[in-house]
Amino acid sequence: MKHRPAEEIQDLQYFGEFGGVNPSVSDSSTYTFLSAKTMFDTFEGNTEGCYLYSRHTSPSNLYLGEALAAMENTEAAQVTASGMGAITAVLMQLCKQGDHMVSSRTIYGGTYAFLKNFTPRFGIATSFVDITNLEQVEKSINANTKVIYCEAISNPLLEVADIAALAALAKKHGLKLVVDNTFSPMAISPSKLGADVVIHSLTKFINGSSDTVGGVVCATQEFVNDLRNVNDGACMLLGSTMDSLRAASVLKNMRTLHIRMKKHSENALYLAQKFQADGIKTVYPGLASHPSHHIYKKMMNKEYGFGGLLTIDVGNLEKANAVMEMMQQENLGYLAVSLGFYKTLFSAPGTSTSSEIPEEEQEKMGLTNGLIRFSIGLDNDIARTYEKMKNCLIQLKVLY
Ligand code: PLP
């Protein structure tokens, strides 16, 4: 049976300290103990009902983690100060010197830079592969491989990972499958498809107001406990802790996530279909022309659609820049990185969010200069938006 992420969140029930309908916010970095023995036990990892220090856990962070674990159908979740705080902690927890990872080559530029430039300093190597080519993925696995890493829908090329097939490969070789689900919360449930660890940048759709950075690791209770371990836990020791006040505000925003995701998807599908019909090179997982449309359809929680991200290729960087500047001038959105906002956001990934990827690699993976990535907003009248966007494209001779 398909997972029902919105119902899982809806069914959580909270009572604040004074009977409030929102859980009380824990505005403390440290916590008292009535007995010194309990404090010792808490350090030893026996933390049932006790809080020690907010870098370890805090009530507000646990509430948010509980909602995210419910959404992703995992036993537990650990929230972090940013998406990168989640990604780096997970990979450092799973790999040690001499280990190897197989990663999709089309991933967020920051993650790519971490794997390409940073982890080798610790003797951890990564092979970058076309994640849609399962044969290539399997061929890249060696005796030292510990992790297969991918994004459910990749940034920025919107490649779709066949999570069930990758999970089977991971299982066969005794590896962990780690999936970044930032682009498709609610729409895709990687843990249901066999992923071991699901990560989000909460900065994007989940928080949805572009007012904070945040991240989460959704996994088994055992793995979450490992991340929090005071002796060797990457979250505890690297310190990527979310602030409690922020955790409380992200939790409140999550309650509208299901409605927002449906609207983002509806609007993006409308624009993708229109742009494609106009003859613009358009990539969107909801278009039958997308090479992995059928895989997305097989994986999706139907009611949430194909997500809010689409790309168009307008030929070259100059045109891409002109289109974005004009669209911003016309108040159709913002020329800004990031995604999941109520307004449309657009950027040219080759020179922004993927600029960490060397040009020749960008070329190999099909990341062209004229590519514009759109995170489509919650516009109430998307037909009006389309007409205005089309007008910009005509004025700039992208369309005739
Ligand atoms: N994963 C994806 C797919 C992203 O797009 C980003 C940021 O753009 C991140 C992770 C990193 O998240 P954060 O910026 O919250 O650290």
Side-chain angles (χ1 to χ4, degrees), residues 82-85 87 108 111 151 155 180 182-183 201-204 213-215 338-339 353 373:
S82 69
M84 284 310 291
I87 292 164
Y108 165 59
T111 313
E151 293 170 359
N155 184 359
D180 179 338
T182 300
F183 277 26
S201 164
L202 302 178
T203 316
K204 314 292 164 31
V213 286
S338 202
L339 48 124
T353 49
R373 185 190 74 181

Side-chain angles (χ1 to χ4, degrees), residues 181-208:
N181 198 26
T182 300
F183 277 26
S184 39
M186 301 238 160
I188 293 177
S189 302
S191 82
K192 273 277 178 187
L193 299 162
D196 297 288
V197 179
V198 184
I199 294 174
H200 284 276
S201 164
L202 302 178
T203 316
K204 314 292 164 31
F205 290 106
I206 292 179
N207 184 56

Side-chain angles (χ1 to χ4, degrees), residues 156-157 281 283 310-317 320 324 347-351 366-374:
L157 294 179
K281 213 167 141 196
V283 174
L310 65 87
T311 67
I312 62 171
D313 194 330
V314 295
N316 59 53
L317 185 60
M324 294 188 295
S347 56
T351 51
L367 211 174
T368 50
N369 254 338
L371 197 79
I372 307 176
R373 185 190 74 181
F374 286 82

Side-chain angles (χ1 to χ4, degrees), residues 299-319:
M299 297 196 295
M300 75 195 289
N301 298 318
K302 240 193 187 119
E303 60 194 306
Y304 300 106
F306 295 89
L309 273 295
L310 65 87
T311 67
I312 62 171
D313 194 330
V314 295
N316 59 53
L317 185 60
E318 289 66 41
K319 273 205 169 158

Side-chain angles (χ1 to χ4, degrees), residues 257-328:
L257 178 62
H258 58 300
I259 302 168
R260 289 187 278 114
M261 287 317 295
K262 287 177 192 177
K263 192 65 181 167
H264 283 299
S265 290
E266 180 191 315
N267 284 352
L269 179 63
Y270 181 93
L271 290 179
Q273 284 171 339
K274 289 285 189 191
F275 288 150
Q276 181 170 261
D278 288 337
I280 299 172
K281 213 167 141 196
T282 309
V283 174
Y284 183 65
L287 295 175
S289 58
H290 190 289
S292 302
H293 176 63
H294 59 292
I295 295 173
Y296 190 111
K297 267 177 91 170
K298 197 174 65 179
M299 297 196 295
M300 75 195 289
N301 298 318
K302 240 193 187 119
E303 60 194 306
Y304 300 106
F306 295 89
L309 273 295
L310 65 87
T311 67
I312 62 171
D313 194 330
V314 295
N316 59 53
L317 185 60
E318 289 66 41
K319 273 205 169 158
N321 288 343
V323 166
M324 294 188 295
E325 284 167 15
M326 184 178 277
M327 285 192 181
Q328 178 163 258

Side-chain angles (χ1 to χ4, degrees), residues 22 50 80 83 198 223 280:
N22 289 302
C50 289
T80 54
V198 184
F223 186 65
I280 299 172

